[in-house]
Amino acid sequence: MTDEVRVYVEEAPSQRREVVAPTDMALSLMEVLKASGYDIQATCGGMALCGTCHVEVLAGPALDEPSDDELAMLESLPVMTQGSRLSCQIRITNRLDGLVVRLMPQGT
Amino acid sequence: MTNSISTDICIIGAGPVGLFAVFEAGLLKLRCHVVDALPQVGGQLSEIYPKKPIYDIPGFPDILAGDLVQNLMRQIEPFHPTFTLGERVERLAKLEDGSFQLFTTDGTEIFCKAIAIAGGLGSFEPRKPAVESLESYEGGRGVYYMVRDPETFRDKRIVIAGGGDSALDWTIFLADVAKEVTLVHRGTTFRGAADSAEKVQNLHEAGRARLVLSSNVTHVHGQDSLEAVTITANDGTAETLHVDAFIPLFGLTPKLGPIGEWGLELEDDAVKVNTLDYSTSVPGIFAIGDINTYPGKLKLILCGFHEAALMAQGAYKYMFPDKRYVLKYTTVNGVPTL
Ligand SMILES: Cc1cc2nc3c(=O)[nH]c(=O)nc-3n(C[C@H](O)[C@H](O)[C@H](O)COP(=O)(O)OP(=O)(O)OC[C@H]3O[C@@H](n4cnc5c(N)ncnc54)[C@H](O)[C@@H]3O)c2cc1C
Ligand code: FES
C-alpha cells in the first residue's frame, strides 16, 4: 500500500498537471492545491464558509457526498455545476487516486 | 452633494482591529472616524463567521464572533467614533501640513491628521454572476449587489437572485417594502436557514413574493437604466420580466482593491510596516491587522489588538511630535470620554 495519491489539475482543456499528495497527513485537497502553488485564497481556512476553494470534479473515483454545509455554500455561489465541490471538504485518502479537478474562478 | 468629515485618525476598515483601534486612540484623546465598504461593522467576523465561537481571545474561553463585535462596539462607545459604512475608500492625498484627505466611492471626503489602515484581506466585494452588460446598470441604474438602504426599493419591482441566507433574508424583508419581489434560485432547495426558506415559501403561497426555482437570471435589458431581466429555467424556457431593480446576492469576497495603489510598500498583497509603531513607508499612515506584514506576522485578532495599541502611540507622536505621553492604566481613572 502506498501512502501517496495522484490527482490531476486541468489547467486548460487537455492540459493536466499531476499533483502528488501524501495520504497520511490528514490534508484536504485545498491544502494540497495551495501547497502546489495554486492561487486559492481559502479565507476561512477550510471551514466551508468562504467558497474561495471551489473546484469542479471532472473525472475519477466517486467521492463521499458533500455535507449540507458544503452544499449550502456551493448553492450560494453564482456558478455551480454538477461536479462542483469545495476542495477544503475533500480529504486526501487512498481512494482519491486519479481524481481530475478544475479550479473555478475565485470571484465565482 | 459632498459629505465632508474632519477627525484626528481615519480608520479604514471596521473589522475587529479597526474597532479596537478606536479604543486605543481614545485613551490618548484622539478622535476617530471609521470607514468600511460593508454596510455593517465587524469585517470578517460579521461577514463570514458571525455564529462561530472563537477560542483565542484573551479572557474569553469562547465567544461568538458576532458577540465579540458587539462587545467591541460597546467598549468604544465612550469615544463616540463616527462611521461611514457601505462606502469604499478609493483615494488618498497627503496635504502640505502633513495631514490627509481621503475620498470614498460615494464622494464622501474625510480630512484627518493620521490614517490607520485596518483593511484586513481587502474590502469585501460582491461576487457577480456572468450576465452580459450587468456592469452598465451599476451605480444606481438598477443593479445592486448589496442592500444598503431598503428604502431604495420602496414600491419598486425587484428581482433577487441567489440561494444563500442573504437572498432569503432580503426577500422576506423587501416583500413588505417593494411593490413586487421575485426570488430566482438556480437550485430546487435552500439549505441555509430552514425557517427563512419556509417563510419565503409562505410568502410565495400568499402571493406576496414570487419564487422561481431551477432558474437563472441570464440577461438584463434597458436603455439608461434597467428595465427588464430574462429568467431562463434549467429546461431552457425563458421569461422576460419588467423590473426596476435586480439584486444578485451571491456573497462577498475580499479583494485588496485600492489600498494597493496608494504608493505604500507592499509584499504579497500586504502592507509592509515597521513593528515599532506599525507605520508604513509613508509617514502618518499606519497599517494594522490582517492587512500588514512584517517578519513573524500572524493573522490573528489578538495580534491586531496589540498592533492597534502601538499604532495609537505612533499616530500621537506623528500629530504631536513635541508632547510626551505617559502611559496611564485604565484601572486608575477609568475610561476617559471624548
Ligand atoms: C472562518 C474564519 C475563522 C477565523 N478564526 C479566527 C480565530 O479563531 N482567531 C483569530 O484570532 N482569528 C481568526 N480568524 C482571522 C480573523 O478573522 C482576522 O484576523 C481578523 O478578522 C482581522 O481583522 P481586521 O480588522 O484586520 O480585518 P477584517 O476583519 O478583514 O476587516 C477589514 C475590513 O476592512 C474593510 N476594507 C478594506 N479595504 C477597504 C477600503 N478601501 N475601504 C473601505 N473599507 C475597506 C473590509 O470591507 C473589512 O470589513 C478567522 C477568520 C475566518 C475567516
Ligand atoms: S477554504 Fe473556505 S470554503 Fe474552502
Side-chain angles (χ1 to χ4, degrees):
Chain A
M1 192 164 131
T2 63
D3 43 16
E4 270 176 9
V5 286
R6 267 147 247 279
V7 296
Y8 301 85
V9 180
E10 188 158 295
E11 297 183 341
S14 73
Q15 187 190 321
R16 291 178 179 180
R17 180 177 146 205
E18 183 183 270
V19 174
V20 180
T23 55
D24 55 356
M25 288 172 63
L27 293 175
S28 72
L29 180 59
M30 175 274 280
E31 291 163 322
V32 169
L33 293 173
K34 241 181 119 93
S36 310
Y38 288 102
D39 180 26
I40 295 179
Q41 266 188 329
T43 315
C44 77
M47 294 166 73
L49 283 174
C50 72
T52 60
C53 65
H54 186 187
V55 298
E56 183 178 25
V57 174
L58 299 172
L63 302 174
D64 290 337
E65 286 298 305
S67 68
D68 270 1
D69 284 349
E70 180 178 351
L71 284 171
M73 183 69 232
L74 287 169
E75 279 178 357
S76 74
L77 300 175
V79 177
M80 179 187 178
T81 68
Q82 281 290 316
S84 277
R85 293 298 303 256
L86 296 175
S87 57
C88 70
Q89 301 301 303
I90 300 178
R91 292 275 133 223
I92 299 285
T93 63
N94 287 309
R95 288 193 295 132
L96 236 59
D97 203 42
L99 190 75
V100 185
V101 299
R102 180 169 76 94
L103 268 56
M104 298 291 266
Q106 306 226 339
T108 60
Chain B
M1 186 196 70
T2 51
N3 188 1
S4 183
I5 293 149
S6 160
T7 189
D8 292 327
I9 304 183
C10 181
I11 299 172
I12 302 173
V17 178
L19 294 179
F20 191 64
V22 173
F23 185 86
E24 288 296 330
L27 291 180
L28 305 180
K29 302 231 179 241
L30 301 177
R31 283 176 310 135
C32 293
H33 183 77
V34 188
V35 191
D36 204 297
L38 291 176
Q40 81 274 353
V41 300
Q44 294 172 48
L45 284 69
S46 302
E47 188 54 41
I48 306 181
Y49 62 108
K51 301 265 158 58
K52 293 273 173 197
I54 308 176
Y55 300 100
D56 58 350
I57 303 298
F60 291 91
D62 60 81
I63 180 165
L64 296 184
D67 291 346
L68 179 62
V69 173
Q70 274 188 15
N71 285 357
L72 284 165
M73 287 301 280
R74 243 184 58 216
Q75 194 167 23
I76 64 179
E77 212 169 277
F79 302 115
H80 302 291
T82 46
F83 291 88
T84 298
L85 297 178
E87 296 183 26
R88 189 174 70 201
V89 178
E90 215 45 34
R91 206 157 56 78
L92 62 81
K94 192 163 186 174
L95 307 178
E96 261 172 36
D97 62 355
S99 69
F100 298 89
Q101 187 179 7
L102 296 165
F103 305 86
T104 73
T105 34
D106 292 43
T108 303
E109 42 172 48
I110 300 145
F111 292 92
C112 60
K113 301 186 182 112
I115 295 175
I117 303 177
L121 304 171
S123 74
F124 277 92
E125 301 294 325
R127 291 192 173 96
K128 300 179 182 180
V131 175
E132 206 184 315
S133 53
L134 196 60
E135 268 90 6
S136 52
Y137 303 106
E138 290 174 3
R141 288 200 294 274
V143 171
Y144 303 83
Y145 301 102
M146 44 174 117
V147 181
R148 283 183 207 163
D149 177 10
E151 283 304 311
T152 314
F153 305 105
R154 177 153 309 270
D155 299 325
K156 298 276 167 65
R157 298 163 300 176
I158 62 173
V159 166
I160 297 175
D165 289 350
S166 60
L168 290 168
D169 292 346
W170 282 117
T171 301
I172 296 165
F173 190 92
L174 292 173
D176 286 334
V177 176
K179 185 161 135 203
E180 266 173 46
V181 181
T182 304
L183 172 62
V184 181
H185 175 36
R186 178 188 55 226
T188 50
T189 52
F190 293 95
R191 276 165 231 268
D195 51 331
S196 309
E198 198 183 310
K199 269 193 207 138
V200 169
Q201 189 61 43
N202 292 342
L203 286 170
H204 176 69
E205 278 154 25
R208 293 182 46 224
R210 203 177 137 216
L211 182 56
V212 183
L213 296 173
S214 308
S215 301
N216 285 294
V217 170
T218 48
H219 297 89
V220 287
H221 318 273
Q223 295 293 322
D224 295 335
S225 57
L226 184 73
E227 290 164 19
V229 299
T230 301
I231 302 169
T232 308
N234 294 349
D235 66 10
T237 53
E239 71 168 305
T240 296
L241 203 66
H242 288 280
V243 297
D244 305 300
F246 172 39
I247 317 175
L249 296 174
F250 293 106
L252 305 170
T253 188
K255 296 215 171 73
L256 181 62
I259 296 172
E261 285 138 40
W262 295 343
L264 304 166
E265 228 182 289
L266 302 178
E267 188 178 293
D268 292 337
D269 271 5
V271 181
K272 277 176 101 169
V273 289
N274 179 346
T275 51
L276 197 68
D277 55 2
Y278 298 93
S279 52
T280 67
S281 57
V282 176
I285 304 184
F286 301 80
I288 51 177
D290 280 9
I291 193 81
N292 75 15
T293 186
Y294 52 84
K297 168 72 184 178
L298 291 177
K299 287 187 184 176
L300 289 175
I301 299 165
L302 163 75
C303 300
F305 287 171
H306 158 83
E307 294 164 14
L310 297 201
M311 175 284 295
Q313 301 288 326
Y316 186 87
K317 285 200 192 104
Y318 178 76
M319 286 179 226
F320 310 106
D322 305 327
K323 280 198 205 167
R324 268 198 61 214
Y325 168 76
V326 185
L327 177 76
K328 281 197 195 78
Y329 291 134
T330 56
T331 34
V332 178
N333 295 323
V335 173
T337 49
L338 265 183

